[in-house]
């Protein structure tokens, strides 16, 4: 069967089963992986091997990060330190949506992982609002904000492979001089989108205080000393951010090692500062909550690996160059690869490999070319995207609500970047 047809059938069935029957994302994604592999011509053994390899890659990339983030979040809740952090923020910030979007945007760059930034922010933002709808709004803004900088700003793992493949001597400073203002404009547009969009309907009990990972209610918001800061509550986050320059410039760790190292430092800091009862509860409940998240995103990794293994990217490029103008090929190719496997980093790497040295790459200026690929990576953030399932888990919303508040805003960012890239190519660089 044609791989594009197999891909459409697989995504459609995953969506129907997930929305109508509310089956666990892990099982729907694994089922989709088997279906696509068989429809795409892979043997059952090759498909299962691909599922195992895809799950392994995602677990290796996110297992430690998610576990450490969940343990930190649980320890904060056990000691009511989330409320102390909220009290500190409320003394200095009067607009929670802005701080949520900016926090995600800013943290994703130095931490070099949008998911890690979101996990760090979840326990803090989750307690800024008592109403469930408003609380989830902050989480959506943090998620979208982190994706904007992660997909656009150099140096992040998404932009680095694109820059190495297509920069042709272009200065990183010149690139960021364009990319940073564009990304901030995109973030401002997202803030306006949520400002004038009514909050989604929530259940009757949503006005209660936000719940922790197992559903229990958080304690009332703490009131700190006037002008003071609860340094002990902030210590895990300070440790994480403070370790970034140590990991880069002193220990010279790779990107993957650095992310896991700083999260381990944050978790160890939280554990050392916690009293014994909170420490035991934090480890136990944090690990339980992390396991639910990890299995969902491992399912997305399995589906993505099987789809990429089938040769979908190369076949898509051949079809796109015949059907559409060359200028939009990078955008649509990146969008297809992102839809197929869900990781923006993998999308950047595969798209760079497929387009490097091709007629398409030589016909477009490097800066718009990078922007086109980044834009394509934002167009469809759906069931193959591990971040989609993480946001769904942390907000507790159904799939339709996550699509409206996560997938759609990220897609609008992609359309905005696509338009900007076309304007730069035709009005500036030609």
């Amino acid at each position: 069967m044609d791989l594009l047809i197999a891909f459409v059938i697989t995504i459609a069935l995953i969506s129907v089963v997930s929305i109508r029957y509310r089956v666990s994302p892990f099982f729907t994604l694994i089922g989709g992986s088997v279906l696509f592999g068989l429809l795409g011509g892979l043997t059952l053994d090759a498909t299962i091997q691909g599922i195992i390899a895809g799950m392994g890659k995602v677990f290796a990339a996110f297992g430690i990060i998610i576990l450490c983030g969940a343990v930190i979040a649980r320890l904060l809740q056990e000691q009511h330190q989330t409320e102390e952090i909220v009290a500190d923020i409320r003394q200095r910030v009067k607009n929670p949506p802005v701080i949520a979007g900016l926090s995600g945007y800013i943290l994703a760059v130095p931490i070099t992982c949008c998911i890690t930034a979101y996990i760090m922010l979840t326990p803090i933002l989750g307690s800024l609002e008592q109403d469930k709808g408003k609380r989830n709004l902050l989480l959506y803004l943090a998620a979208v904000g982190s994706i904007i900088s992660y997909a656009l700003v150099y140096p992040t793992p998404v932009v680095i492979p694109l820059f190495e493949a297509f920069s042709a001597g272009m200065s990183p400073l010149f690139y960021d001089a364009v990319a940073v203002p564009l990304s901030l404009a995109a973030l401002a547009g997202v803030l306006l989108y949520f400002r004038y969009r009514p909050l989604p309907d929530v259940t009757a009990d949503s006005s209660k205080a936000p719940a922790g990972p197992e559903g229990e209610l958080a304690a009332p918001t703490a009131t700190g000393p006037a002008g003071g800061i609860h340094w002990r509550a902030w210590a895990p986050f300070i440790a994480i951010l403070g370790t970034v320059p140590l990991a880069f410039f002193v220990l010279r760790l790779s990107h993957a090692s650095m992310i896991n190292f700083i999260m381990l430092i944050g978790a160890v800091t939280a554990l050392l500062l916690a009293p014994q009862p909170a420490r035991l509860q934090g480890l136990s409940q944090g690990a339980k909550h992390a396991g639910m998240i990890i299995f969902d995103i491992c399912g997305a990794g399995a589906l993505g690996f099987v789809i990429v293994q089938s040769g979908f990217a190369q076949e898509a490029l051949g079809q796109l160059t015949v059907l559409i103008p060359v200028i939009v090929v990078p955008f649509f190719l990146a969008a297809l690869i992102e839809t197929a496997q869900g990781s923006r980093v993998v999308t950047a790497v595969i798209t760079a490999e497929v387009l490097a040295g091709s007629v398409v790459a030589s016909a477009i200026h490097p800066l718009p070319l990078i922007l086109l690929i980044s834009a394509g990576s934002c167009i469809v953030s759906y069931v193959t995207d591990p971040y989609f399932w993480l946001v769904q888990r942390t907000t507790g919303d159904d799939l339709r609500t996550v699509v409206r508040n996560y997938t759609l805003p990220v897609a609008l960012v992609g359309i905005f970047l696509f338009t900007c890239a076309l304007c730069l190519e035709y009005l500036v660089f030609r």
Side-chain angles (χ1 to χ4, degrees), residues 189-257:
V190 169
L191 288 168
L192 290 174
Y193 168 84
F194 279 104
R195 179 177 181 180
Y196 294 107
R197 188 180 183 281
L199 289 174
D201 292 334
V202 294
T203 56
D205 64 348
S206 64
S207 60
K208 297 179 182 178
E214 302 306 315
E216 62 276 9
L217 297 178
T221 303
T223 55
I229 296 177
H230 297 88
W231 292 108
R232 189 165 164 269
W234 287 96
F237 304 101
I238 295 172
I240 289 171
L241 292 176
T243 308
V244 172
L246 172 67
F248 264 130
F249 301 113
V250 179
L251 300 177
R252 298 187 180 277
L253 298 179
S254 65
H255 165 254
S257 298

Side-chain angles (χ1 to χ4, degrees), residues 74-75 78-79 271 274-285:
R74 184 66 197 194
L75 288 169
E78 284 293 316
Q79 303 170 82
L271 287 167
Q276 183 70 12
R279 188 182 307 140
L280 294 175
Q281 187 73 1
L283 279 171
S284 174
Q285 297 300 324

Side-chain angles (χ1 to χ4, degrees), residues 67-258:
L67 175 61
C68 290
V71 168
I72 292 171
R74 184 66 197 194
L75 288 169
L76 291 174
Q77 291 166 353
E78 284 293 316
Q79 303 170 82
H80 303 306
Q81 289 178 331
T82 303
E83 289 77 19
E84 295 176 353
I85 292 174
V86 171
D88 293 343
I89 293 175
R90 281 178 170 164
Q91 289 180 9
R92 294 161 178 82
V93 179
K94 305 304 180 184
N95 192 326
V98 172
I99 195 61
L102 279 176
S103 296
Y105 176 93
I106 293 170
L107 279 179
V109 177
I111 294 174
T112 66
C113 179
C114 56
I115 287 181
T116 305
Y118 180 81
I119 291 173
M120 287 174 58
L121 290 169
T122 296
I124 300 173
L125 298 177
S127 291
L128 275 175
E129 294 285 355
Q130 298 296 306
D131 178 78
K132 182 178 183 290
K134 293 180 180 179
R135 170 167 56 92
N136 284 353
L137 170 64
L138 300 184
L139 296 179
Y140 286 121
L141 281 168
V144 177
S146 68
I147 289 174
I148 290 172
S149 61
Y150 190 63
L152 271 177
V153 178
Y154 183 93
T156 64
V158 174
V159 180
I160 288 174
L162 300 177
F163 202 85
E164 291 177 350
F166 306 122
S167 62
M170 180 175 59
S171 167
L173 293 176
F174 175 74
Y175 171 80
D176 273 346
V178 177
V180 171
L182 285 180
S183 61
L184 288 173
L187 178 60
V190 169
L191 288 168
L192 290 174
Y193 168 84
F194 279 104
R195 179 177 181 180
Y196 294 107
R197 188 180 183 281
L199 289 174
D201 292 334
V202 294
T203 56
D205 64 348
S206 64
S207 60
K208 297 179 182 178
E214 302 306 315
E216 62 276 9
L217 297 178
T221 303
T223 55
I229 296 177
H230 297 88
W231 292 108
R232 189 165 164 269
W234 287 96
F237 304 101
I238 295 172
I240 289 171
L241 292 176
T243 308
V244 172
L246 172 67
F248 264 130
F249 301 113
V250 179
L251 300 177
R252 298 187 180 277
L253 298 179
S254 65
H255 165 254
S257 298
M258 187 272 294

